[in-house]
Amino acid sequence: MNTSPTISCDQFDEQAEDLALGHIDEPQRSQLLAHASTCPPCQSLLEGLGTVADRLLLLAPQLEPPAGFESRALARVNTTTTSGTARFRVSLWAAAAIALII
Ligand SMILES: [Zn+2]
């Protein structure tokens, strides 16, 4: 008799990203993997997400900002802003710049 709860494809789909990133703990992890081992569409989804996660990890070392970028950016923000509104505006620009680099 199998006492473990059955995972549906919808439940698997909801948690597939966390599973691929290793954010699911036991026993839920085993239940999701057991479902994927018997369900080709979910297995394909998990493999695809795993591939994306692996590629992102491989890209991570290439995304390091140049040496001194952080200290220069913080120094510029600290010296060019005085009011809260201006500081917020500069923070948005800094966030946009970082997003472009990434
Ligand atoms: Zn499934």
Side-chain angles (χ1 to χ4, degrees):
M1 181 173 146
N2 186 2
T3 57
S4 64
T6 303
I7 302 285
S8 70
C9 291
D10 287 340
Q11 290 171 320
F12 184 90
D13 189 54
E14 290 173 3
Q15 301 177 56
E17 291 176 16
D18 288 335
L19 179 63
L21 294 172
H23 295 165
I24 301 288
D25 294 326
E26 295 294 342
Q28 195 171 14
R29 180 179 178 275
S30 293
Q31 293 165 358
L32 291 166
L33 291 175
H35 175 84
S37 70
T38 60
C39 180
C42 290
Q43 185 175 26
S44 177
L45 172 65
L46 183 60
E47 288 174 359
L49 289 172
T51 301
V52 170
D54 289 345
R55 288 181 181 166
L56 287 174
L57 289 174
L58 290 174
L59 289 174
Q62 299 172 8
L63 298 177
E64 290 293 325
F69 170 80
E70 184 177 335
S71 60
R72 287 195 308 270
L74 290 175
R76 182 167 293 176
V77 168
N78 288 335
T79 58
T80 59
T81 63
T82 54
S83 73
T85 303
R87 183 168 297 161
F88 176 73
R89 193 175 306 136
V90 170
S91 296
L92 287 177
W93 280 108
I98 291 170
L100 287 175
I101 292 169
I102 292 173

